[in-house]
């Protein structure tokens, strides 16, 4: 029986790993990383590998989801590390991997870390208690334009809740859904304005947890025409009513966006 | 103009601080800590102070909420640290402090960390996307028995969502609302079973992020009679329907509780 350690790397770069996480990784015989549910800043994973004096093998989505590579490593080791940007279980797919490890007779351990799930509300100064269900928005594709994200945002607004909208990424192809594109997609799929409307104030957060983390608050249409710099971006669709402290916290982010297209 | 650094310490002990957080704290002239919204394991803050070679001044709720001590320190320093267990902005009250700092002409920076908001769902293997609004449950007091937590749990169940229930604590008096007490309170205030019922399966998580983190899943009444060991505890009231992967992940936590009273 081996231990599969799910270790969160946090949101910025290699400096966001905790000492607990670092100690664990030094004791792992093999370390695997996935970079398809979230990514750190460029080069962070390589610098981390160097610092802990340990190879980190990158696995694509197919390798992680087939589970074979990691189960094989568990069969041959006492301790295997699996690292992801953010928190390892914020991405649902990794629970499947730990279930597979359990079924194969192994055990798992968990080192949580910062996640966009809490950092976005924290940075904006919104109350974590006032968030409804989080929504994730896939890249548009021919014949694929689900309206479920808009419906979920609408439901959250009905119960007076904010919605965090996470944006799709295909880092291996260098493709990241930008906040501007995401807003345009949502506006297009929501002609009835159940979740979003052109003049309704929303928030964009970019590069949460990094040195260049920033946010902007303004009417959806205006933000849809804005460039927010490098990924990752996410949106927060605001509840119909803001608490006065939320309103004051958002004030500093209500300013001209960096560059309009 | 000084910088007020809000640094999350994570959930277990001093090893859960990130290197980014540690580097920041070493460069702060003053460091304040609060231990009333969440706490680390015994002694962790003292060990941290020793490791970074820096005094950490503990502030009570009144001192933090009056803001004077911290604003004074900002007036006399370039960089002041404010550290909390978990993530610094998961506790809403700290946004008020950063607004006060802004009003006084200072600026703030944020080092996110792991929070019970994500670690509880991660540990249980529940989908972070399937959580509705988080609820917090205060200690009962004479003439004070709000039913709003039950109502919120009921609303979340209506939209098919899980509810994280955070439990009150008064660490300075050594008082922590236990999972058992919390379940009994919720059962008492919910005769119509809108949120919870004696035979309905719920989850208890304890000491998330620490070495002794654990969870139990079972009927509410059964768990209400159980001792789960040292704090902090939290509850998850499950959605009416579980995804099959969630169900499988919960299976390992459906076992006899440590000791029944």
């Amino acid at each position: 029986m081996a231990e599969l350690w799910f270790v969160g790397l946090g949101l910025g770069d290699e400096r966001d790993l905790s000492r607990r996480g670092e100690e664990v990784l030094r004791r792992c015989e093999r370390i695997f990383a996935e970079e398809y549910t979230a990514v750190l800043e460029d080069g962070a994973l390589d610098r981390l590998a160097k610092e802990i004096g340990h190879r980190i093998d990158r696995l694509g989505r197919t390798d992680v989801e087939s589970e074979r590579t990691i189960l094989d490593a568990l069969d041959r080791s006492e301790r295997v590390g699996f690292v992801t940007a953010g928190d390892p279980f914020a991405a649902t797919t990794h629970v499947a991997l730990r279930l597979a490890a359990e079924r194969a007779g192994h055990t798992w351990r968990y080192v949580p870390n910062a996640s966009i799930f809490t950092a976005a509300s924290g940075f904006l100064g919104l109350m974590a208690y006032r968030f409804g269900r989080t929504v994730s928005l896939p890249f548009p594709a021919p014949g694929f334009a689900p309206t479920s994200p808009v419906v979920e945002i609408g439901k959250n607004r009905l119960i007076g809740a904010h919605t965090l909208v996470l944006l799709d990424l295909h880092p291996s192809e260098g493709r990241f859904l930008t906040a501007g594109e995401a807003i345009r997609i949502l506006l297009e799929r929501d002609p009835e304005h159940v979740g979003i409307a052109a003049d309704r104030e929303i928030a964009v957060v970019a590069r949460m947890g990094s040195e260049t983390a920033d946010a902007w608050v303004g009417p959806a249409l205006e933000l849809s025409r804005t460039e927010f710099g490098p990924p990752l971006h996410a949106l927060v669709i605001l509840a119909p009513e803001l608490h006065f402290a939320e309103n004051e916290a958002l004030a500093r982010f209500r300013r001209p966006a960096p560059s309009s297209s």
Side-chain angles (χ1 to χ4, degrees), chain A:
Chain A
M1 193 178 83
E3 285 178 345
L4 177 54
W5 280 82
F6 290 87
V7 177
L9 299 176
L11 292 166
D13 60 34
E14 72 281 7
R15 291 171 298 165
D16 292 297
L17 179 63
S18 64
R19 183 146 41 93
R20 185 190 303 273
E22 191 183 321
E23 286 168 10
V24 164
L25 294 180
R26 284 185 195 279
R27 288 185 288 119
C28 286
E29 288 138 80
R30 292 289 300 277
I31 304 174
F32 298 101
E34 68 85 353
E35 292 175 290
Y36 57 85
T37 60
V39 288
L40 297 180
E41 279 174 41
D42 269 352
L45 210 54
D46 296 321
R47 293 192 296 273
L48 177 65
K50 209 168 201 172
E51 279 167 21
I52 60 174
H54 214 311
R55 204 175 76 198
I56 297 180
D57 294 315
R58 292 165 153 89
L59 294 182
R61 184 183 288 269
T62 324
D63 284 321
V64 175
E65 292 184 354
S66 88
E67 297 151 2
R68 202 58 260 156
T69 312
I70 293 168
L71 294 179
D72 282 350
L74 284 167
D75 286 339
R76 291 198 218 100
S77 325
E78 282 188 29
R79 212 174 277 112
V80 172
F82 181 73
V83 301
T84 59
D87 183 273
F89 292 126
T92 299
T93 177
H94 299 148
V95 174
L97 174 61
R98 93 185 193 197
L99 293 173
E102 281 184 353
R103 269 182 242 120
H106 304 294
T107 187
W108 56 268
R109 302 289 301 273
Y110 170 34
V111 181
N113 207 326
S115 162
I116 185 70
F117 276 85
T118 46
S121 66
F123 190 83
L124 288 166
L126 297 173
M127 294 177 176
Y129 297 86
R130 297 193 70 224
F131 275 73
R133 289 174 69 165
T134 295
V135 159
S136 99
L137 188 66
F139 271 114
F144 178 65
T147 54
S148 53
V150 165
V151 173
E152 288 296 327
I153 296 166
K155 282 191 205 164
N156 283 338
R157 283 180 58 87
L158 265 182
I159 60 165
H162 309 300
T163 308
L164 173 65
V165 184
L166 301 178
L167 310 186
D168 204 359
L169 63 163
H170 293 319
S172 59
E173 304 155 26
R175 292 176 67 211
F176 299 86
L177 194 55
T178 68
E181 291 171 294
I183 298 167
R184 289 194 294 275
I185 292 169
L186 292 176
L187 284 171
E188 226 177 77
R189 294 192 198 156
D190 193 7
E192 312 283 338
H193 311 314
V194 296
I196 193 171
D199 58 350
R200 202 175 282 166
E201 200 176 57
I202 66 168
V204 168
V205 294
R207 298 171 297 284
M208 274 311 101
S210 80
E211 301 281 334
T212 63
D214 213 338
W216 293 265
V217 172
L221 187 65
E222 188 183 313
L223 293 184
S224 77
R225 295 173 175 151
T226 302
E227 295 290 333
F228 300 101
L232 302 172
H233 301 171
L235 311 180
V236 175
I237 311 300
L238 301 168
E241 308 273 339
L242 295 173
H243 183 275
F244 73 90
E246 291 183 319
N247 195 46
E248 188 178 349
L250 292 184
R252 74 173 272 155
F253 303 118
R254 288 191 187 102
R255 77 273 201 252
S259 71
S260 289
S261 58

